[in-house]
Amino acid sequence: MVVDDEPIVGKRLKRLLEREGYAVETFTRGSQALEGLGRNRYDVIITDIMMGNVDGMMILEYVKSNYPDIPVIIITGYGKKEIAEEAYRKGVHSFIIKPFRIDELKAVVKEALSGADKD
Amino acid sequence: MNLKIWHKMIIGISIPSLVVIIGGLLTLYYLNNVKTRHGFVEIADDLRERVLEIRRNEKNFLLHKTTEYYKYFKSSISILQRSASNIPEAIIDQVGKSEFLLLRNSIQNYQDLLNNLLENYLHEERQVEKVREEGRHLESFVAKKNHAVELSTDFVLNLRRFEKNYMLFRDKASFDELNKGLAQFDNIIPFCIECIRYANAINELLNVHTDQTRLEGSLQIIGNKLEEITNTISIRERENVRSFFSVTQHRLLIVLVLLCVMGPLFVYKTATHIVKPIKRLAEITKRISEGDLSLRAPLKEHDETFQLSQSFNTMLDKLQFTQQSLERSLELLHEKHVEAEKRASLGFLVSGVAHELNNPLNNISLTAETMKEDLDTMTREEQKEYIQDILTQSERAKHIIEELLDFVGTRKSTAMEKLDIINVLGESIHLVSNQLKVTNIKLKLDVPQYPFFIKGNQSKIEEIFVNIMVNAIHAMKDSGTLTICARPGSGQRNIFIDISDTGCGIEEKEIRNIFEPFYTTKPVGEGTGLGLSVAYSLVSKHNGDISVKSKVGKGTTFSIRFPAYDESSVPEISNT
Ligand SMILES: Nc1ncnc2c1ncn2[C@@H]1O[C@H](COP(=O)(O)OP(=O)(O)OP(=O)(O)O)[C@@H](O)[C@H]1O
Ligand SMILES: [Mg+2]
């Protein structure tokens, strides 16, 4: 699952990750993403922080309290140290600052999925 | 002196009162004494009166030698005796014991003498009778002629004449004549019995008479003495009273003078003693109020002013300390103010606008990477779309940078110019829009559609609005409504801008603090507490004012007024 209010991010990540063999669903609104969580089972969630009503932090909290096994990866341009610390405190798997290299993201996703498998 | 003011007052009042009381008591005592002394004078006068009465009776008695006068005389003496013995011992002690003793003795002597004299008188009477009888005997004896011829009838008759003369006159001449006559008896007939008896009788009478003269003399002497004693007593008592009066007069005069001199002196001394410390304090207070805070009230007297001075000094210490820390704060504020302005602009840019740049950059890099990997399999359409995306995102980045440069550019100007405040408000809202975007806060705008001009500096006014709006956003945390309302006042002379939030609100007692520099309720590192103080001073520099209304839990409204643009007034702004 990819959540980002920038539609381009969703589109590009979907294409790039599907090439790697993952099934990808994208959302531009946090609220829709939360609804999606109730419908399907996701292996990993990639989300931006700064988005309208429901932001990445809230998604992280929601996932960690309802589906603690699903790893959450945050991608954000708002790379403040305090926010990263807060995210790690809330159980984020990785905190990636925009702009990032796709290889970097791919590695993190792989690592997250393997970690989830082991559990 | 370590006396309290009221002690001093009591002393100041009681000492003159004491002098008055002592003077009064003294006067009373003297008056009482005068009364007693006057009593003595009366007694002395009484005694003297009685003695004079006695002397009068004495004279009468000695002249007439009758029992009637004797009675008067006697009774007047016993009256004196009674009066003399009726005088109380205490008075006798006061007036003079020896004199009274003398007086009493003299009265006694007088009385004794009187008794002797009375006896002598009786004796005289008897003796006169006897002389006459012997004379008659002698006459008849001579008439019988049975004796010597020498004893003639003539001689005897002559003798009797001498005798009569003596009895009548009792003077020296008649006495000598009688004596001479009697002396002739011996020459004429030595042993004539009748002659001898007659001569003896006469001699006896002469003796009685000598006694009488002596007694009478003594009586008069003692009478004189009585008179003298009473006179001295009376005179002395009078003298006593007179001197007593003059002494009393003197003493009273001294007391009066003392009172007249000491009273005012004492009142003056007391007053100065009371007033001096107060005056000193007043003097110091005046000098301090003129600006010398380093002065202190002296802690000399241990009266009520001591505590006053002490509290006063403590107050001064505090005042001085406050003044010093105020001066320090002011310096600090000055430094912080400059820093805060930097922060308000640059810090804002870094956290907002600069981060915004990451989004288009990320989009570009993601698009580029996708193209790099998939270029071969992409359709022409897809390739065009991707390149368009890159162009659009570059444009977006460029726009962000322009905005940034714009902002930095306007910051440099501090000039006051004609501004459309509605436009500035819009720009300010745009500056915080990024912060709004990451929250659930709704923005409600109620501003005129036409421009409203004021005189001011764009970046400064933006700073005012941004500071207030950022505070409002913080107060609401994640959700709420930020309402911004602008409306011109009557006659278009002012514009009123209200910025309201639905945040936590401010407690009543904290409201007066929020414009203080460094007042903040935010954690260390998040708030400097300078936002509102800077906003306040900036509003003042624009000749406007700012006020706040708040309800805890409901929200807060900041109201700002700016005067409308007016060609005639050109407010200056300092270049800090
Ligand atoms: N809209 C508001 N609602 C509730 N409290 C407010 C509001 N505006 C200001 N305050 C209170 O006033 C204090 C002072 O505000 P001020 O802007 O001067 O400093 P700050 O926001 O704490 O720090 P800084 O602005 O320097 O980062 C705040 O800490 C906050 O407690
Ligand atoms: Mg503030």
Side-chain angles (χ1 to χ4, degrees):
Chain A
M1 176 192 259
V2 173
V3 193
D4 197 317
D5 60 340
E6 301 269 342
I8 290 177
V9 175
K11 274 194 231 163
R12 300 295 118 87
L13 285 187
K14 186 177 165 77
R15 187 175 183 131
L16 288 167
L17 291 176
E18 275 177 347
R19 262 177 60 106
E20 297 295 307
Y22 304 118
V24 180
E25 212 176 312
T26 64
F27 299 91
T28 53
R29 298 182 75 89
S31 49
Q32 289 169 357
L34 292 184
E35 278 168 30
L37 276 170
R39 280 198 306 271
N40 292 313
R41 157 87 207 180
Y42 300 93
D43 296 314
V44 66
I45 296 164
I46 301 166
T47 179
D48 186 15
I49 291 185
M50 296 215 277
M51 301 176 295
N53 304 346
V54 179
D55 72 2
M57 237 15 133
M58 283 169 72
I59 291 173
L60 172 63
E61 276 171 44
Y62 182 81
V63 170
K64 283 296 138 189
S65 55
N66 293 297
Y67 314 95
D69 293 341
I70 307 177
V72 177
I73 297 162
I74 280 176
I75 49 171
T76 181
Y78 207 79
K80 262 190 161 181
K81 208 174 132 204
E82 293 86 12
I83 293 175
E85 278 168 2
E86 188 190 340
Y88 277 114
R89 225 175 18 253
K90 287 178 177 164
V92 76
H93 179 273
S94 296
F95 192 92
I96 297 168
I97 293 167
K98 289 180 186 175
F100 52 85
R101 305 292 311 224
I102 189 65
D103 292 340
E104 192 188 343
L105 182 69
K106 280 179 188 165
V108 169
V109 169
K110 205 175 199 164
E111 191 203 315
L113 284 172
S114 67
D117 282 347
K118 273 170 205 158
D119 281 339
Chain B
M1 267 205 284
N2 291 349
L3 286 174
K4 304 237 174 236
I5 287 176
W6 72 277
H7 284 153
K8 289 178 188 169
M9 280 169 78
I10 285 173
I11 290 171
I13 291 164
S14 58
I15 288 190
S17 315
L18 214 73
V19 172
V20 170
I21 288 169
I22 289 173
L25 284 178
L26 226 75
T27 315
L28 210 71
Y29 171 72
Y30 280 131
L31 283 178
N32 209 34
N33 262 349
V34 165
K35 205 172 125 195
T36 337
R37 290 271 156 185
H38 189 69
F40 296 169
V41 171
E42 270 176 0
I43 287 168
D45 277 353
D46 186 49
L47 285 178
R48 209 167 76 96
E49 201 88 340
R50 302 241 179 278
V51 169
L52 287 179
E53 173 85 18
I54 286 169
R55 295 308 306 276
R56 217 170 22 251
N57 285 333
E58 175 200 303
K59 216 183 261 167
N60 284 337
F61 176 63
L62 289 184
L63 202 68
H64 302 288
K65 290 177 186 166
T66 61
T67 33
E68 203 193 345
Y69 285 111
Y70 171 71
K71 256 190 235 153
Y72 290 149
F73 193 18
K74 185 86 180 164
S75 83
S76 67
I77 289 173
S78 53
I79 286 171
L80 173 68
Q81 209 162 22
R82 255 205 315 280
S83 330
S85 55
N86 274 349
I87 298 168
E89 283 298 321
I91 293 177
I92 292 172
D93 284 347
Q94 292 259 339
V95 176
K97 225 173 177 149
S98 56
E99 254 138 7
F100 270 91
L101 206 67
L102 195 66
L103 184 70
R104 275 183 192 161
N105 284 342
S106 305
I107 293 172
Q108 195 56 53
N109 282 347
Y110 195 65
Q111 204 154 27
D112 289 347
L113 273 174
L114 180 63
N115 286 341
N116 289 347
L117 194 63
L118 187 69
E119 227 160 82
N120 173 279
Y121 282 166
L122 292 175
H123 193 173
E124 186 198 4
E125 221 171 292
R126 279 195 308 275
Q127 207 53 42
V128 166
E129 210 44 50
K130 202 170 175 184
V131 167
R132 290 211 174 111
E133 201 177 309
E134 293 303 328
R136 275 196 301 275
H137 267 287
L138 190 62
E139 262 180 62
S140 56
F141 171 69
V142 173
K144 281 176 194 157
K145 299 272 190 202
N146 49 358
H147 56 82
V149 213
E150 292 84 344
L151 192 64
S152 63
T153 318
D154 288 348
F155 173 72
V156 172
L157 282 179
N158 218 21
L159 211 55
R160 293 285 330 250
R161 199 166 45 83
F162 288 153
E163 173 213 308
K164 236 179 238 144
N165 278 350
Y166 170 70
M167 295 268 201
L168 202 66
F169 302 114
R170 273 224 202 150
D171 57 353
K172 184 103 169 82
S174 51
F175 173 76
D176 286 344
E177 250 175 342
L178 186 59
N179 250 356
K180 223 189 282 167
L182 285 178
Q184 283 173 17
F185 271 135
D186 278 342
N187 303 331
I188 300 166
I189 35 167
F191 303 106
C192 165
I193 304 284
E194 278 77 14
C195 294
I196 291 170
R197 284 180 63 160
Y198 180 63
N200 279 353
I202 284 183
N203 275 336
E204 185 68 35
L205 183 65
L206 287 178
N207 277 345
V208 170
H209 275 162
T210 325
D211 263 0
Q212 196 178 70
T213 323
R214 187 178 49 81
L215 283 174
E216 278 176 2
S218 299
L219 193 72
Q220 272 170 334
I221 287 171
I222 293 186
N224 274 338
K225 202 169 174 183
L226 276 179
E227 219 179 308
E228 220 170 86
I229 292 170
T230 48
N231 252 346
T232 26
I233 292 177
S234 161
I235 288 169
R236 207 187 50 217
E237 282 313 311
R238 265 169 213 287
E239 192 53 45
N240 268 348
V241 168
R242 200 172 307 122
S243 71
F244 215 84
F245 267 127
S246 63
V247 165
T248 308
Q249 208 176 17
H250 266 122
R251 290 192 186 165
L252 283 180
L253 207 74
I254 287 169
V255 168
L256 208 72
V257 168
L258 267 179
L259 208 65
C260 285
V261 173
M262 265 174 61
L265 203 81
F266 235 87
V267 170
Y268 174 76
K269 270 269 169 194
T270 313
T272 44
H273 261 296
I274 292 169
V275 166
K276 212 164 70 189
I278 297 174
K279 251 178 144 174
R280 205 162 35 213
L281 203 61
E283 184 71 26
I284 294 273
T285 321
K286 193 173 154 239
R287 274 163 62 194
I288 288 164
S289 73
E290 280 161 6
D292 191 353
L293 277 182
S294 63
L295 282 173
R296 287 292 176 276
L299 297 172
K300 274 193 193 159
E301 318 284 315
H302 270 272
D303 58 14
E304 286 85 342
T305 58
F306 183 82
Q307 234 193 332
L308 193 64
S309 305
Q310 230 174 14
S311 320
F312 186 64
N313 285 350
T314 319
M315 195 183 78
L316 277 179
D317 287 343
K318 281 187 188 150
L319 206 65
Q320 205 176 12
F321 178 76
T322 315
Q323 201 197 31
Q324 282 165 359
S325 48
L326 215 65
E327 277 166 6
R328 269 201 304 277
S329 312
L330 227 75
E331 276 169 31
L332 222 72
L333 182 63
H334 228 78
E335 289 166 16
K336 292 275 173 166
H337 186 70
V338 176
E339 199 189 296
E341 286 205 343
K342 274 190 216 146
R343 263 178 58 101
S345 53
L346 275 156
F348 188 78
L349 286 174
V350 167
S351 62
V353 185
H355 284 89
E356 180 76 6
L357 212 53
N358 283 332
N359 278 323
L361 281 178
N362 191 52
N363 289 342
I364 290 166
S365 87
L366 274 182
T367 309
E369 270 193 290
T370 317
M371 280 181 86
K372 187 181 156 201
E373 282 193 17
D374 276 2
L375 193 64
D376 301 339
T377 57
M378 277 175 146
T379 63
R380 293 277 297 176
E381 294 306 306
E382 270 180 328
Q383 285 172 1
K384 263 190 188 158
E385 186 201 327
Y386 274 42
I387 290 164
Q388 188 54 53
D389 274 352
I390 289 172
L391 287 175
T392 315
Q393 292 302 317
S394 308
E395 198 62 38
R396 190 176 152 198
K398 183 185 155 206
H399 188 75
I400 291 169
I401 288 169
E402 265 172 9
E403 216 173 60
L404 192 142
L405 287 174
D406 249 18
F407 188 72
V408 172
T410 54
R411 297 292 300 172
K412 279 178 188 148
S413 153
T414 55
M416 300 291 264
E417 41 195 20
K418 187 175 176 178
L419 294 174
D420 172 15
I421 186 77
I422 307 299
N423 178 42
V424 179
L425 193 57
E427 294 284 327
S428 311
I429 294 167
H430 186 72
L431 287 172
V432 296
S433 62
N434 265 304
Q435 304 230 338
L436 280 175
K437 216 190 264 174
V438 301
T439 63
N440 242 344
I441 295 167
K442 280 191 215 64
L443 179 68
K444 240 172 87 183
L445 263 179
D446 177 13
V447 297
Q449 296 304 306
Y450 48 87
F452 188 98
F453 291 104
I454 67 158
K455 188 159 200 126
N457 178 276
Q458 171 137 10
S459 65
K460 304 271 178 201
I461 293 176
E462 276 175 5
E463 200 175 332
I464 296 167
F465 291 144
V466 166
N467 277 342
I468 292 171
M469 287 191 281
V470 167
N471 281 347
I473 291 165
H474 285 159
M476 290 188 283
K477 301 242 167 61
D478 282 321
S479 58
T481 310
L482 178 65
T483 309
I484 293 162
C485 163
R487 67 203 143 73
S490 61
Q492 305 280 316
R493 278 193 296 272
N494 289 297
I495 179 99
F496 295 94
I497 296 146
D498 286 356
I499 300 172
S500 315
D501 63 57
T502 56
C504 58
I506 310 166
E507 272 186 55
E508 179 84 40
K509 60 174 165 35
E510 303 294 350
I511 282 191
R512 60 201 160 105
N513 289 329
I514 59 170
F515 292 107
E516 294 289 319
F518 309 117
Y519 173 79
T520 179
T521 56
K522 293 167 190 174
V524 181
E526 271 182 42
T528 58
L530 282 171
L532 285 180
S533 74
V534 168
Y536 185 89
S537 72
L538 289 177
V539 169
S540 311
K541 278 176 185 167
H542 284 83
N543 292 339
D545 38 54
I546 182 165
S547 63
V548 58
K549 274 202 197 78
S550 185
K551 240 194 180 120
V552 175
K554 286 267 158 63
T556 309
T557 300
F558 282 86
S559 307
I560 308 162
R561 178 191 64 84
F562 287 115
Y565 184 77
D566 176 8
E567 300 288 349
S568 56
S569 85
V570 185
E572 283 301 315
I573 188 156
S574 64
N575 235 342
T576 45

